[in-house]
Amino acid sequence: MKMKPYEHPPALYPYREWSLGEDTYEEEYNQRSESVFALGNGYIGMRGNFEEGYHGTAGTTVAGNYLNGFYDTEPVVYPEGAYGLPEVNQSMLNVTEARIIELEIEGYPFRLDSGKVHSCRRWLDMQTGLLHREVEWESPGGQRVKLAIRRMVSLRHKHLAAIDYAVTALNFAGTLQFVSALDGEIRRSEASADPRLGSGGARPSLLLEDSGYEEAAGVLWMRQRTRHTRFVLYTAASHRLQAASGRGLAPQLDGQRISAGYTAGVQCGETVILTKYITYYTSKDYPEEELQDRSAGVLKMAEGCGFNGLADEQRAYLDQFWAHTDVEIKGDPALQQGIRFNLFQLLQSTGRDGVTNIAAKGLTGEGYEGHYFWDTEMYMLPFFTYTQPEIARKLLEFRYATLDKARERAAVLSQKGALYPWRTIDGTENSAYFPAGTAQAHINADIAYGIKQYVQATGDVEFLVSRGAEILCETSRFWTDLGYFNPARGGAFCINGITGPDEYTAIVNNNAYTNLMVQDQLIYAYETVLLLQQEYPADYARLRQSIGLTEGEAEMWREAADRMFIPFDEQLGIYAQDDTFLSKRRWDFEQTPADKYPLLLHFHPLVIYRHQVLKQADLVMAMFLLGDKFRLVDKIRNYQYYEPLTTHDSSLSPCIHSIISAEIGDLAAAYGYFDRTVRMDLDDINRNAKDGLHMAAMAGSWMSIVNGFGGLRQVDGTLCFDPALPEQWQSFRFKVTARGQLLDVCIGSEAAVYTLLEGSGLQIRHRGQPVLLQPQQPVSLLLARQLEAVIFDLDGVIAGTAGLHDQAWQVLSDKKDAGCRQLLEQLTPADLLPGILELLDSLAQRGIACGLASASLNAPLLLQRLGIGSRFQAIADPAALQKGKPDAEIFLTAAELLGVPPQGCIGIEAAAAGIASIKAAGMLAVGIGSREQLGAADLLLPSTAELTVEKLLALFGRKV
Ligand code: BGC
């Protein structure tokens, strides 16, 4: 489905570089704002709900507090079960609400739906990590107050959150009352037919065991136990009141809610502040009997620091984060805000203790029930690998920590080795719909890819040796057991009955993405075993012992990789998504109205599976991840085939299309896809931000910048850049960390500047050229491309005129010609078209190479007869090509033979198909002929006599 040029929607939140804010309160958008104003620290997540609770229309709020990895289970009821389907489903719990602060002013409760709201602002500051709310409110009795509320979830202290609640009396003297509460009677969101939401919880999952109030310490506490998993949750809050006079209120217990509070006298103009410190501890992390003491310790520490002290720590933490992570986009405030917001939310949602991970919606909502998917390794992990490698390691440690469960799962599926779950919290499979779940075995290869990328980027071989190798071996065993050398495919290694990343196609044989990724994994596993054998014999022995690795197993992986079957369609010249994809009927996009998207909500899966239609990048994803396995021409051709069939119904899709569009030279498309990804939640593009933020798309927007516009690829551990600046921007800048060295990359309109901010020296590549960076010595490299080569067609450009030779020419240039030697003999240099010889001379003088892209098999002979054979450094051989014009292949092949990137070439053609071929190759096109025929050319000349090197250079300069 061809994407229309993306039009930026009106701003839902004003564009600000370092913050996200709203200047009014609108009930209609409340749920969405709860998601985007979420705070978190990788463990605790709090949606942006108000301290006083919510008094709006039912269904417009989800009060949410989450703890990463803290879940309960419910049995999955299958009307028609089958062997090996998950029996229970895990859901991240919405835990006890601890933020409640109810304020009364002279007996009037402060609520946004009563009295008079004079002003109401809130903003999330991404530099300080604080959520602010400022309200000027007048009670029904006429007392006017100003509230300044600051909230944080501490990035330094995993179990701690804090609220600083300041009330200033603006026009009265009187009494304020604060009631602070813990409310444990929380349910998850309602069940829904939308598979992207949760299955809901019929009954409350948290059962009260005990609660209390310690008056001396001002601490409210509550102990609850989950219904099925039997985990203990210990929630506590302590309070500090800053007021000239105040006294405590008696605690109250009401069902699962416990409250206590204060009254305080206030003079006109005076401010009273209540600070509330909140902790969450669970028995998932510590023995039950320790929870209370641990909580008390942290609360004491927090009170000692005070809110401002904690805020200083928070700021310092974020200064460090941004110093390694910030992305700057000059000239585009909307996208600048978008990218920073995404990176900030990623930090907030990512588990970093080795036993938790990143849920699809982070800690911002209950969509996908807090489950972890392949999203982690393929989308989020690269961001952390290159900016916060210590967090990346923790994410991979999670996979190691759950390897046993993956082994068990493989056994259930009658397979050797280990199969990671498609969706999980604790490592067990939670996917009840196996065609788009367990069948996505590619997750094994995705994890392997993540390990390889991490180890190469960081040099953390210790991780590979101590943990990664075991994961690689066990998941490789799975593959060689699942796949087989198929006699019907000439003994090629085939993998059947799986689903690739595109969830609109299920249970197929030989999904190209999967087979390519498995091939890569098997080679890496083989190399890792060799590494251990040769350099870490003790670890090798340990591994052999612990997993029973046998002689010859690694060789078998290597052989399977070497003989891997990759489906390719010779006729179309593209990789087939799988064995049968190309034989299906194409989806009828013309007859599908906009309101029928996403298709998954409007069509039975079988209807979708029967068609050529994609939910998300599949082969296109492989072209990004395994770029060196594809020629540029394959990338272009595959992209042109699959992109129009892709609905992007998954938010994981546009960013990958942005990256490949940038690589094949379509910066406008790359920008459009990026725009759509980077503000997916801030503009609520998929209209479901209310259910939580799209973490993979957020991380994908980072990849669109760094891998897309920055052109970063890691080749055997070396960072290789091929940057390009979208015309909408003045410049952009990002940072990457590799092997402990911090690199700053700034791309402007003229030059790319690489600065090694930390480290001792780093070798990178810029557009293929090696560059050695020394600390603090910026290296500036011009971006303007030189015209390096001109690639000619023969017919109508070099020769082929009217009269005698016109006819001869037709015969001679015909591929089928064999007996035209006589006619050929008649050609002489005089048959060259006017201006060509002069042009060839001028090009040679300037050192600009010449190539030929002619479909004629006689071309070499013809050039010889015309006396210009030696002027051409490369002639694309049409017999060796898969496809003729208008396919890009012939021009790209000529460029490849010349060793020049397409962006350094101009192609010259006299036929429309030829112009199309040049454009598809990403080159500038010069047409010789009429506008009616060759209107798509970048420069049109009536005849070759007009063709001069100056005109070519001027055309090229325009592009630059
Ligand atoms: C996508 C999957 C993804 C999941 C969770 C689905 O819509 O198709 O690729 O893993 O969402 O983000």
Side-chain angles (χ1 to χ4, degrees), residues 875-889:
I875 299 178
D877 175 5
L881 302 181
Q882 262 168 3
K883 297 190 99 190
K885 298 167 188 173
D887 190 87
E889 186 171 11

Side-chain angles (χ1 to χ4, degrees), residues 840-848:
L840 293 177
D841 280 344
S842 318
L843 291 172
Q845 273 163 22
R846 289 179 154 83
I848 299 171

